[in-house]
Amino acid sequence: MKSMFLRQSSRAVGRHDLWRLSRRGLSRVAPTATSIITPSTTSSPSRPLPANSVSSALAQQSPPTTRAFHATRDLQVIKPVLLADIGEGIVECEVIQWFVEPGARVEEFSQLCEVQSDKASVEITSRFAGVVKKLYYEAGEMAKVGKPFVDIDIEAGPESKEVEALTSPEPVSTLEGRQAIKGEAISTSTPQAVAPELKQSFIEAPWAQRTPAPSHSPVMKQTGKHASSATPAVRHLARELSVDITQVPGTGKDGRVLKEDVYKFVQARDSAPTPYPSAATPTSPGVTAAAAAASAFTSPDATIPGPQKETTVPLTRTQEMMFKSMTRSLTIPHFLYADEVDFTPLVELRTHLNRVLSKSGLPEGQVSKLSYLPFIIKAVSMALYKYPVLNARVDLDSSSNGKPSLVMRSQHNIGVAMDTPSGLLVPVIKNVGSLNILSIAAELARLQSLAVAGKLSPQDMSGGTITVSNIGSIGGTYLSPVIVDREVAILGIGRMRTVPAFSTVTGEEDKILRRQICNFSWSADHRVIDGATMARAADVVRTIVEEPDVMVMHLR
């Protein structure tokens, strides 16, 4: 009984000594290993160890034996995010801008960056929540589809700086601490704490009190609202021309920087400054508005004698896209067909419908005013039902004996050419045959707003079967539109004008009336579309526009 008590006491004392030694830093044994580290003398029950000799036994103990723990392999916590395929066979995209930086905390579906392909710009979101560890590309570089473009640590917590910002400082409890903080605050604010050499330099240079000393630390420049409002294409153009977009004054809506603003900034930057200001400069008080406007059409280098100056300007992303598309269009043999269309009945109908729309409450997403373009797009769709060959595409890689063929398409996906700050873009209105006039107008407004903001998605830019170009909204009566690749026809709309015309009413042929005339210019692929087919299809469109009541009967 006595020996049993001594064995239990030795174990208790041994645990206590191990804990005490570990607290003093003399032992690195984990608490879970105390039950398996015992003096060798305790292994025999016939020779009990006295309680007062446990400490000496521990000192003479051989190196402790520890049990090996087995653990599963750590999972990969740094996840490389791959650039997903955005469709249309695109293999690389240009990184327009980053919304994050290394060390930033992101959540799932947070914006990572904005990329631009040959079709449109897309914002890439995060698949994981964590901390950004690495950016594989800089802004302006080309990122490969299917390759990593950012690393995210999915198990990392907030940075130490973020923790310090979120936690309040610990209160100072001691008198010495409060005095130290107080003394530090006084020493940083009193002139006695200034070094003698610095104090002497300030005394010898009185202007130093008015002009701050130059600092070698980088100064963060605040970005104006015009820089954030610029489209990705304009920002890309500014980078290619080595222009800081925050220095460019914007003339667009809400201070938006346009591509014309960038070109004017580059022209002003590259022009040699005149040593003496002329009396005819716009900043002079005696200059009139007409003289200032006339100076906008002159170049500073126009009056300088010397050889011709040539400056190489790289293509913008939109120009590169247009270059590739129009180069492919050169393989299509075009033929032009033009016709005049009387818009007078459509002008009266549109005026009446806009009056009705202004009085009735419209649901959200609907337009409050109609233009002529939705009526024209619907008329083209109705003509495609009668002449579906205009909605087809030519397949030169057909597997049927190596001969070209036509691929007929059921839906009418009509592309609309739009003039945007970044250049010409052609978004597509899908399945026009199932839409009414109001739905077409609402989709047009949505695509136009996205195009101006540079936010068109690849889905908005792909899948077109025929194109309509309304160049008349800018100017021009006649045009020769170019067929887009993978299509066989395109319609160009000229400017509407008021002309006198003879009446077509029987008995009133000599009466002259006021008419609204617009020119329609068609281009077709002469490999598969003959002139007669194009003329008949154009006549269907003209009839529907001139008699808009017929359109009501065929609405779906």
Side-chain angles (χ1 to χ4, degrees):
M1 188 71 180
K2 183 177 180 180
S3 62
M4 183 182 300
F5 174 77
L6 290 175
R7 285 198 300 271
Q8 292 176 354
S9 300
S10 64
R11 293 193 184 98
V13 173
R15 294 191 186 98
H16 176 73
D17 289 344
L18 287 174
W19 175 82
R20 180 169 53 81
L21 291 175
S22 63
R23 292 285 292 177
R24 293 182 178 179
L26 302 178
S27 175
R28 298 296 182 182
V29 181
T32 56
T34 57
S35 61
I36 62 172
I37 305 175
T38 56
S40 58
T41 56
T42 60
S43 60
S44 176
S46 60
R47 299 176 58 187
L49 183 66
N52 54 4
S53 62
V54 173
S55 300
S56 59
L58 284 174
Q60 300 174 0
Q61 178 67 26
S62 59
T65 59
T66 59
R67 180 181 299 174
F69 291 94
H70 297 278
T72 58
R73 191 179 66 175
D74 294 338
L75 297 177
Q76 185 180 12
V77 296
I78 298 182
K79 294 288 186 179
V81 181
L82 306 182
L83 182 60
D85 185 7
I86 58 178
E88 293 293 317
I90 296 173
V91 297
E92 63 179 5
C93 300
E94 180 187 1
V95 179
I96 299 299
Q97 62 175 337
W98 285 99
F99 301 116
V100 296
E101 58 184 7
R105 179 78 183 181
V106 296
E107 301 297 334
E108 192 174 3
F109 303 114
S110 298
Q111 294 180 344
L112 295 177
C113 66
E114 182 180 6
V115 299
Q116 186 175 23
S117 65
D118 291 342
K119 297 293 183 181
S121 61
V122 181
E123 292 182 353
I124 306 298
T125 58
S126 175
R127 296 173 50 197
F128 314 103
V131 176
V132 177
K133 289 299 182 182
K134 178 182 179 182
L135 304 180
Y136 285 80
Y137 303 97
E138 297 290 340
E141 295 182 351
M142 302 300 295
K144 300 294 184 180
V145 173
K147 299 296 183 181
F149 70 100
V150 62
D151 285 347
I152 297 179
D153 189 349
I154 61 175
E155 290 190 0
E159 297 291 338
S160 58
K161 295 182 180 179
E162 299 179 2
V163 175
E164 294 175 0
L166 294 176
T167 58
S168 60
E170 295 182 359
V172 181
S173 58
T174 62
L175 179 61
E176 293 80 0
R178 289 194 296 268
Q179 291 177 350
I181 294 178
K182 184 177 179 180
E184 182 182 358
I186 295 175
S187 64
T188 56
S189 59
T190 55
Q192 286 79 4
V194 182
E197 59 274 10
L198 294 178
K199 184 176 179 180
Q200 183 65 25
S201 63
F202 272 88
I203 294 175
E204 295 176 356
W207 48 264
Q209 299 178 0
R210 299 189 303 269
T211 305
S215 175
H216 297 285
S217 60
V219 179
M220 297 300 295
K221 185 184 299 180
Q222 294 192 7
T223 303
K225 64 178 182 179
H226 56 273
S228 61
S229 301
T231 61
V234 176
R235 291 196 296 268
H236 178 68
L237 174 62
R239 288 195 301 271
E240 290 179 340
L241 299 179
S242 301
V243 172
D244 184 4
I245 198 169
T246 60
Q247 304 297 328
V248 181
T251 60
K253 184 179 179 181
D254 297 330
R256 183 188 301 274
V257 178
L258 308 179
K259 59 180 180 180
E260 292 82 3
D261 301 331
V262 177
Y263 286 126
K264 290 180 181 178
F265 184 85
V266 172
Q267 183 180 8
R269 181 193 62 185
D270 297 340
S271 61
T274 55
Y276 300 99
S278 174
T281 56
T283 57
S284 301
V287 177
T288 62
S295 63
F297 296 97
T298 60
S299 173
D301 299 333
T303 58
I304 299 177
Q308 175 73 287
K309 292 179 59 178
E310 294 184 353
T311 304
T312 302
V313 178
L315 298 179
T316 64
R317 192 65 179 172
T318 304
Q319 289 174 330
E320 290 179 359
M321 178 180 64
M322 186 168 56
F323 182 89
K324 296 177 183 179
S325 177
M326 293 298 100
T327 302
R328 293 190 296 266
S329 298
L330 288 176
T331 60
I332 303 175
H334 289 56
F335 82 90
L336 179 65
Y337 178 86
D339 196 5
E340 288 187 348
V341 181
D342 187 0
F343 267 59
T344 305
L346 184 57
V347 171
E348 298 175 356
L349 177 62
R350 172 180 171 269
T351 303
H352 174 68
L353 292 178
N354 284 336
R355 190 182 304 115
V356 173
L357 290 175
S358 61
K359 295 180 180 179
S360 61
L362 293 175
E364 185 179 357
Q366 294 291 344
V367 294
S368 59
K369 187 177 180 180
L370 293 172
S371 64
Y372 297 108
L373 193 54
F375 295 94
I376 299 173
I377 292 174
K378 188 64 180 180
V380 171
S381 175
M382 295 169 62
L384 293 179
Y385 283 111
K386 191 171 183 179
Y387 296 95
V389 66
L390 297 179
N391 199 53
R393 65 176 176 86
V394 178
D395 187 5
L396 299 178
D397 299 328
S398 178
S399 59
S400 57
N401 299 327
K403 297 181 180 179
S405 60
L406 273 176
V407 179
M408 310 302 291
R409 296 180 280 198
S410 59
Q411 291 187 353
H412 303 158
N413 300 335
I414 299 180
V416 182
M418 295 182 179
D419 179 48
T420 67
S422 59
L424 175 64
L425 297 177
V426 188
V428 179
I429 303 177
K430 304 296 178 62
N431 200 10
V432 177
S434 62
L435 304 178
N436 55 27
I437 300 299
L438 286 177
S439 300
I440 296 174
E443 183 66 6
L444 267 176
R446 185 188 72 86
L447 294 175
Q448 180 68 38
S449 61
L450 292 177
V452 171
K455 300 297 183 181
L456 287 172
S457 65
Q459 290 75 19
D460 295 329
M461 298 281 291
S462 60
T465 58
I466 191 171
T467 302
V468 174
S469 176
N470 185 20
I471 194 65
S473 59
I474 302 176
T477 305
Y478 308 97
L479 67 151
S480 178
V482 180
I483 303 172
V484 181
D485 186 36
R486 297 174 67 85
E487 298 179 9
V488 296
I490 184 174
L491 168 61
I493 306 170
R495 176 171 50 88
M496 187 173 62
R497 64 196 189 278
T498 303
V499 298
F502 289 101
S503 174
T504 57
V505 180
T506 305
E508 300 180 357
E509 290 83 358
D510 295 337
K511 187 177 180 179
I512 298 179
L513 304 176
R514 179 189 181 97
R515 292 293 180 184
Q516 305 291 332
I517 302 299
C518 181
N519 284 88
F520 281 10
S521 302
W522 296 83
S523 289
D525 188 347
H526 215 342
R527 296 175 299 179
V528 293
I529 307 296
D530 55 69
T533 302
M534 187 70 261
R536 295 188 183 98
D539 189 66
V540 172
V541 175
R542 180 185 60 81
T543 302
I544 296 175
V545 174
E546 291 182 347
E547 300 177 5
D549 299 339
V550 178
M551 188 181 302
V552 178
M553 296 187 300
H554 296 277
L555 290 179
R556 301 190 177 190

XYZ file of all heavy atoms in Angstrom, residues 220-295:
547
model
N 1.146 60.691 -53.898
C -0.010 60.122 -54.586
C -0.820 61.246 -55.197
O -1.233 62.182 -54.527
C -0.877 59.316 -53.611
C -0.162 58.123 -53.007
S 0.393 56.958 -54.256
C -1.181 56.418 -54.889
N -1.056 61.138 -56.483
C -1.814 62.147 -57.200
C -3.281 61.760 -57.210
O -3.631 60.634 -57.539
C -1.307 62.245 -58.635
C -1.954 63.374 -59.438
C -1.462 63.344 -60.870
C 0.017 63.549 -60.943
N 0.525 63.532 -62.308
N -4.114 62.706 -56.836
C -5.530 62.425 -56.794
C -6.096 62.421 -58.201
O -5.789 63.281 -59.022
C -6.258 63.469 -55.955
C -5.855 63.416 -54.483
C -6.772 64.245 -53.625
O -7.767 64.755 -54.106
N -6.432 64.379 -52.363
N -6.897 61.436 -58.455
C -7.483 61.270 -59.773
C -8.786 62.023 -59.843
O -9.635 61.892 -58.968
C -7.733 59.783 -60.065
O -6.498 59.089 -59.936
C -8.263 59.605 -61.475
N -8.974 62.795 -60.905
C -10.229 63.502 -61.096
C -11.310 62.582 -61.593
O -11.073 61.447 -61.998
N -12.541 63.097 -61.586
C -13.651 62.250 -61.993
C -13.615 61.956 -63.483
O -14.157 60.953 -63.937
C -14.974 62.933 -61.654
C -15.220 64.249 -62.405
C -16.571 64.834 -62.041
C -16.846 66.115 -62.827
N -18.168 66.674 -62.507
N -12.920 62.821 -64.256
C -12.865 62.557 -65.693
C -12.042 61.316 -65.994
O -12.289 60.625 -66.972
C -12.281 63.770 -66.421
C -10.938 64.177 -65.906
N -10.793 65.030 -64.844
C -9.694 63.830 -66.281
C -9.497 65.222 -64.609
N -8.814 64.499 -65.455
N -11.034 61.008 -65.147
C -10.208 59.823 -65.383
C -10.999 58.549 -65.139
O -10.881 57.578 -65.876
C -8.968 59.866 -64.503
N -11.808 58.520 -64.092
C -12.602 57.329 -63.805
C -13.732 57.147 -64.790
O -14.252 56.045 -64.938
C -13.161 57.412 -62.381
O -13.995 58.553 -62.243
N -14.140 58.225 -65.484
C -15.242 58.118 -66.430
C -14.786 57.717 -67.816
O -15.624 57.475 -68.676
C -15.998 59.462 -66.507
O -16.494 59.833 -65.237
N -13.485 57.694 -68.070
C -12.993 57.344 -69.395
C -13.230 55.865 -69.676
O -13.158 55.025 -68.786
C -11.502 57.668 -69.514
N -13.524 55.544 -70.925
C -13.760 54.164 -71.324
C -12.441 53.404 -71.385
O -11.362 54.013 -71.471
C -14.452 54.117 -72.696
O -13.596 54.745 -73.669
C -15.784 54.847 -72.653
N -12.474 52.070 -71.339
C -11.226 51.303 -71.431
C -10.442 51.584 -72.700
O -9.212 51.618 -72.672
C -11.724 49.847 -71.370
C -13.017 49.917 -70.645
C -13.634 51.223 -71.038
N -11.127 51.798 -73.818
C -10.414 52.072 -75.066
C -9.668 53.400 -74.994
O -8.543 53.530 -75.495
C -11.386 52.068 -76.240
N -10.273 54.399 -74.364
C -9.613 55.699 -74.229
C -8.421 55.583 -73.290
O -7.355 56.165 -73.538
C -10.623 56.751 -73.744
C -9.931 58.081 -73.495
C -11.737 56.926 -74.757
N -8.569 54.826 -72.200
C -7.435 54.638 -71.297
C -6.305 53.897 -71.990
O -5.117 54.182 -71.779
C -7.891 53.877 -70.054
C -8.811 54.676 -69.151
C -8.916 54.030 -67.778
N -9.529 52.713 -67.848
C -10.835 52.490 -67.706
N -11.651 53.507 -67.492
N -11.325 51.266 -67.772
N -6.666 52.911 -72.829
C -5.636 52.182 -73.575
C -4.925 53.106 -74.555
O -3.690 53.049 -74.696
C -6.286 51.021 -74.306
C -5.332 50.236 -75.154
N -4.313 49.466 -74.620
C -5.219 50.105 -76.498
C -3.622 48.901 -75.590
N -4.152 49.277 -76.742
N -5.672 53.977 -75.219
C -5.057 54.936 -76.138
C -4.127 55.872 -75.389
O -3.033 56.191 -75.869
C -6.158 55.726 -76.853
C -5.697 56.874 -77.754
C -4.845 56.351 -78.895
C -6.892 57.648 -78.293
N -4.533 56.309 -74.195
C -3.679 57.194 -73.416
C -2.378 56.508 -73.012
O -1.304 57.122 -73.023
C -4.438 57.683 -72.176
N -2.456 55.233 -72.647
C -1.227 54.505 -72.288
C -0.317 54.344 -73.493
O 0.909 54.444 -73.370
C -1.584 53.135 -71.705
C -2.183 53.189 -70.325
C -2.169 51.812 -69.689
N -2.911 50.851 -70.495
C -4.200 50.613 -70.365
N -4.908 51.271 -69.457
N -4.805 49.716 -71.122
N -0.892 54.074 -74.659
C -0.057 53.909 -75.848
C 0.641 55.201 -76.237
O 1.742 55.177 -76.787
C -0.915 53.397 -77.010
C -1.391 51.959 -76.840
C -2.248 51.499 -78.002
O -2.784 52.364 -78.717
O -2.379 50.274 -78.199
N 0.006 56.334 -75.966
C 0.598 57.624 -76.310
C 1.380 58.229 -75.151
O 1.778 59.388 -75.229
C -0.503 58.593 -76.756
C -1.295 58.172 -77.997
C -2.369 59.203 -78.321
C -0.376 57.983 -79.187
N 1.574 57.446 -74.066
C 2.322 57.904 -72.889
C 1.703 59.168 -72.306
O 2.393 60.164 -72.050
C 3.795 58.137 -73.260
O 4.390 56.952 -73.745
N 0.410 59.109 -72.097
C -0.328 60.257 -71.573
C -0.923 59.864 -70.231
O -1.533 58.793 -70.090
C -1.447 60.695 -72.550
C -2.335 61.762 -71.913
C -0.835 61.221 -73.841
N -0.729 60.725 -69.233
C -1.385 60.555 -67.938
C -2.811 61.068 -68.077
O -3.053 62.272 -68.226
C -0.633 61.336 -66.863
C -1.237 61.112 -65.477
O -2.182 60.295 -65.358
O -0.755 61.746 -64.523
N -3.771 60.147 -68.036
C -5.152 60.524 -68.325
C -5.722 61.463 -67.272
O -6.695 62.183 -67.527
C -6.017 59.255 -68.463
C -7.323 59.585 -69.186
C -6.288 58.629 -67.108
C -8.110 58.369 -69.602
N -5.120 61.484 -66.084
C -5.605 62.412 -65.059
C -5.268 63.860 -65.395
O -5.835 64.777 -64.791
C -4.999 62.048 -63.698
O -3.568 62.144 -63.777
C -5.393 60.632 -63.305
N -4.362 64.070 -66.345
C -3.991 65.420 -66.749
C -4.766 65.909 -67.963
O -4.602 67.055 -68.379
C -2.484 65.473 -67.065
C -1.588 65.020 -65.932
C -1.711 65.900 -64.710
O -1.960 67.098 -64.813
N -1.555 65.303 -63.531
N -5.595 65.049 -68.540
C -6.322 65.409 -69.758
C -7.677 65.997 -69.378
O -8.465 65.335 -68.689
C -6.517 64.179 -70.666
C -7.260 64.560 -71.941
C -5.176 63.552 -71.003
N -7.978 67.207 -69.794
C -9.317 67.762 -69.516
C -10.359 67.094 -70.393
O -10.214 67.003 -71.610
C -9.154 69.250 -69.845
C -8.019 69.310 -70.817
C -7.095 68.184 -70.456
N -11.418 66.584 -69.786
C -12.465 65.889 -70.519
C -13.544 66.844 -70.996
O -13.961 67.759 -70.288
N -14.020 66.607 -72.215
C -15.089 67.426 -72.793
C -16.389 66.655 -72.940
O -17.375 67.222 -73.414
C -14.659 67.956 -74.168
O -14.372 66.847 -75.042
C -13.415 68.831 -74.054
N -16.405 65.371 -72.546
C -17.623 64.584 -72.652
C -18.555 64.830 -71.484
O -18.365 65.740 -70.658
N -19.570 64.005 -71.408
C -20.565 64.133 -70.358
C -19.931 63.835 -69.006
O -19.197 62.881 -68.843
C -21.724 63.163 -70.625
C -22.862 63.286 -69.624
C -23.976 62.317 -69.955
C -25.108 62.427 -68.932
N -26.210 61.467 -69.212
N -20.229 64.701 -68.013
C -19.702 64.564 -66.656
C -18.177 64.561 -66.637
O -17.548 63.905 -65.823
C -20.230 63.292 -65.971
C -21.745 63.338 -65.796
O -22.265 64.455 -65.647
O -22.371 62.258 -65.807
N -17.561 65.307 -67.572
C -16.108 65.376 -67.609
C -15.437 64.164 -68.199
O -14.245 63.943 -67.986
N -16.166 63.325 -68.946
C -15.583 62.113 -69.536
C -14.514 62.481 -70.550
O -14.683 63.384 -71.372
C -16.681 61.293 -70.208
C -16.176 59.976 -70.799
C -17.265 59.309 -71.619
N -18.435 59.032 -70.805
C -18.588 57.938 -70.063
N -17.630 57.033 -70.042
N -19.677 57.755 -69.363
N -13.387 61.797 -70.489
C -12.290 62.008 -71.429
C -12.570 61.213 -72.696
O -12.743 59.984 -72.645
C -10.942 61.597 -70.807
C -9.815 61.788 -71.813
C -10.666 62.398 -69.559
N -12.622 61.869 -73.819
C -12.852 61.237 -75.110
C -11.520 61.060 -75.835
O -10.493 61.623 -75.447
C -13.809 62.073 -75.953
C -15.143 62.466 -75.285
C -15.966 63.320 -76.231
C -15.908 61.237 -74.845
N -11.564 60.274 -76.910
C -10.323 60.044 -77.655
C -9.846 61.333 -78.325
O -8.644 61.540 -78.497
C -10.531 58.938 -78.690
C -11.618 59.221 -79.709
C -11.750 58.074 -80.697
C -12.844 58.351 -81.725
N -12.980 57.251 -82.695
N -10.797 62.215 -78.701
C -10.397 63.494 -79.266
C -9.637 64.335 -78.249
O -8.693 65.060 -78.598
C -11.629 64.259 -79.771
C -12.306 63.633 -80.983
C -13.243 62.509 -80.600
O -13.406 62.266 -79.377
O -13.804 61.864 -81.502
N -10.034 64.231 -76.974
C -9.322 64.970 -75.928
C -7.884 64.479 -75.786
O -6.964 65.278 -75.564
C -10.055 64.823 -74.594
C -11.482 65.338 -74.659
O -11.734 66.255 -75.462
O -12.347 64.800 -73.945
N -7.695 63.161 -75.914
C -6.343 62.611 -75.807
C -5.474 63.085 -76.967
O -4.316 63.480 -76.785
C -6.389 61.073 -75.747
C -4.977 60.495 -75.706
C -7.185 60.613 -74.540
N -6.041 63.062 -78.192
C -5.274 63.518 -79.351
C -4.927 65.004 -79.245
O -3.812 65.420 -79.592
C -6.063 63.259 -80.636
C -6.100 61.806 -81.055
C -7.304 61.153 -81.290
C -4.924 61.068 -81.212
C -7.346 59.822 -81.666
C -4.951 59.742 -81.585
C -6.166 59.120 -81.811
O -6.202 57.799 -82.176
N -5.873 65.814 -78.755
C -5.580 67.235 -78.586
C -4.503 67.446 -77.528
O -3.646 68.319 -77.668
C -6.861 67.974 -78.198
C -7.885 68.073 -79.324
C -9.125 68.818 -78.861
C -10.173 68.888 -79.977
N -11.408 69.580 -79.530
N -4.551 66.652 -76.467
C -3.535 66.764 -75.429
C -2.159 66.404 -75.976
O -1.164 67.076 -75.676
C -3.905 65.865 -74.254
C -2.972 65.965 -73.085
C -3.142 66.954 -72.127
C -1.910 65.086 -72.938
C -2.280 67.058 -71.051
C -1.038 65.180 -71.877
C -1.225 66.174 -70.929
N -2.078 65.349 -76.789
C -0.804 64.949 -77.376
C -0.296 66.014 -78.336
O 0.907 66.334 -78.373
C -0.955 63.590 -78.085
C 0.301 63.236 -78.870
C -1.255 62.496 -77.080
N -1.210 66.588 -79.123
C -0.802 67.629 -80.054
C -0.266 68.863 -79.318
O 0.748 69.449 -79.719
C -1.991 68.034 -80.923
C -1.669 69.068 -81.987
C -2.879 69.425 -82.817
O -3.984 69.015 -82.513
N -2.667 70.197 -83.862
N -0.930 69.222 -78.214
C -0.449 70.369 -77.443
C 0.868 70.058 -76.733
O 1.718 70.936 -76.562
C -1.506 70.789 -76.427
N 1.035 68.809 -76.334
C 2.271 68.436 -75.651
C 3.462 68.414 -76.587
O 4.576 68.827 -76.221
C 2.094 67.061 -74.996
C 3.300 66.557 -74.229
C 3.128 65.082 -73.892
N 3.043 64.261 -75.099
C 2.802 62.952 -75.094
N 2.609 62.330 -73.949
N 2.744 62.284 -76.230
N 3.245 67.892 -77.811
C 4.348 67.766 -78.761
C 4.682 69.066 -79.469
O 5.749 69.166 -80.091
C 4.022 66.691 -79.801
C 3.877 65.321 -79.162
O 4.380 65.142 -78.040
O 3.239 64.433 -79.788
N 3.783 70.022 -79.451
C 4.056 71.283 -80.131
C 5.085 72.078 -79.333
O 5.061 72.113 -78.102
C 2.775 72.091 -80.306
O 2.215 72.406 -79.051
N 5.968 72.736 -80.043
C 7.016 73.527 -79.383
C 6.406 74.778 -78.783
O 5.656 75.492 -79.449
C 8.104 73.903 -80.393
N 6.701 75.095 -77.522
C 6.132 76.302 -76.912
C 6.742 77.557 -77.513
O 7.943 77.632 -77.782
C 6.499 76.146 -75.434
C 7.704 75.275 -75.431
C 7.556 74.338 -76.602
N 5.916 78.546 -77.728
C 6.386 79.818 -78.268
C 6.977 80.667 -77.155
O 6.397 80.793 -76.076
C 5.219 80.579 -78.910
O 4.189 80.718 -77.937
C 4.672 79.794 -80.096
N 8.146 81.275 -77.375
C 8.774 82.043 -76.292
C 7.992 83.294 -75.921
O 8.016 83.721 -74.789
C 10.153 82.373 -76.851
C 10.007 82.270 -78.340
C 8.967 81.236 -78.585
N 7.337 83.905 -76.881
C 6.589 85.124 -76.604
C 5.153 84.905 -77.036
O 4.885 84.539 -78.171
C 7.180 86.317 -77.370
C 8.602 86.597 -77.006
C 9.646 86.147 -77.822
C 8.916 87.283 -75.854
C 10.963 86.392 -77.489
C 10.227 87.534 -75.520
C 11.248 87.091 -76.334
O 12.539 87.327 -75.996
N 4.192 85.151 -76.172
C 2.800 84.946 -76.542
C 2.365 85.949 -77.592
O 2.715 87.129 -77.535
C 2.042 85.146 -75.225
C 2.952 85.980 -74.389
C 4.332 85.603 -74.785
N 1.609 85.440 -78.555
C 1.116 86.292 -79.626
C -0.122 87.033 -79.170
O -0.860 86.606 -78.290
C 0.795 85.439 -80.864
O 0.199 86.237 -81.857
N -0.385 88.157 -79.818
C -1.570 88.930 -79.476
C -2.840 88.266 -79.940
O -3.933 88.670 -79.567
C -1.459 90.331 -80.087
N -2.739 87.249 -80.791
C -3.927 86.589 -81.322
C -4.226 85.273 -80.638
O -4.991 84.478 -81.125
C -3.758 86.344 -82.825
N -3.559 85.026 -79.504
C -3.836 83.786 -78.785
C -5.183 83.866 -78.113
O -5.662 84.948 -77.757
C -2.744 83.534 -77.735
O -2.666 84.666 -76.887
C -1.400 83.273 -78.385
N -5.860 82.717 -77.886
C -7.183 82.737 -77.256
C -7.169 83.299 -75.856
O -8.196 83.717 -75.355
C -7.595 81.264 -77.261
C -6.783 80.630 -78.338
C -5.498 81.382 -78.344
N -5.988 83.290 -75.173
C -5.954 83.804 -73.809
C -5.872 85.321 -73.752
O -5.992 85.896 -72.688
C -4.741 83.207 -73.069
O -3.549 83.511 -73.796
C -4.885 81.698 -72.964
N -5.634 85.967 -74.903
C -5.546 87.418 -74.899
C -6.921 88.017 -74.727
O -7.909 87.487 -75.238
C -4.930 87.897 -76.221
O -3.636 87.329 -76.378
N -7.018 89.154 -74.049
C -8.339 89.727 -73.816
C -9.019 90.191 -75.082
O -10.248 90.179 -75.167
C -8.038 90.902 -72.863
C -6.691 90.623 -72.284
C -5.956 89.858 -73.321
N -8.258 90.594 -76.093
C -8.891 91.149 -77.282
C -9.292 90.126 -78.315
O -9.721 90.494 -79.419
N -9.145 88.845 -78.050
C -9.470 87.810 -79.024
C -10.961 87.536 -78.989
O -11.539 87.336 -77.926
C -8.674 86.535 -78.738
C -9.069 85.439 -79.708
C -7.199 86.819 -78.854
N -11.594 87.489 -80.118
C -13.020 87.196 -80.195
C -13.261 85.707 -80.223
O -12.341 84.913 -80.405
C -13.617 87.843 -81.454
O -12.978 87.273 -82.602
C -13.412 89.356 -81.446
N -14.531 85.326 -80.062
C -14.878 83.906 -80.083
C -14.661 83.305 -81.464
O -14.289 82.145 -81.600
C -16.325 83.728 -79.646
N -14.889 84.110 -82.494
C -14.693 83.601 -83.860
C -13.229 83.301 -84.126
O -12.878 82.301 -84.755
C -15.215 84.624 -84.877
N -12.337 84.183 -83.623
C -10.908 83.937 -83.814
C -10.452 82.709 -83.046
O -9.619 81.926 -83.516
C -10.102 85.158 -83.378
N -11.012 82.512 -81.849
C -10.653 81.317 -81.072
C -11.144 80.059 -81.751
O -10.470 79.026 -81.743
C -11.242 81.425 -79.663
N -12.346 80.115 -82.354
C -12.860 78.946 -83.061
C -12.045 78.652 -84.308
O -11.814 77.496 -84.659
C -14.327 79.165 -83.418
N -11.598 79.718 -84.976
C -10.796 79.506 -86.184
C -9.445 78.903 -85.857
O -8.883 78.142 -86.641
C -10.616 80.826 -86.927
N -8.905 79.227 -84.668
C -7.605 78.671 -84.301
C -7.670 77.178 -84.048
O -6.645 76.498 -84.068
C -7.075 79.376 -83.052
O -7.941 79.145 -81.951
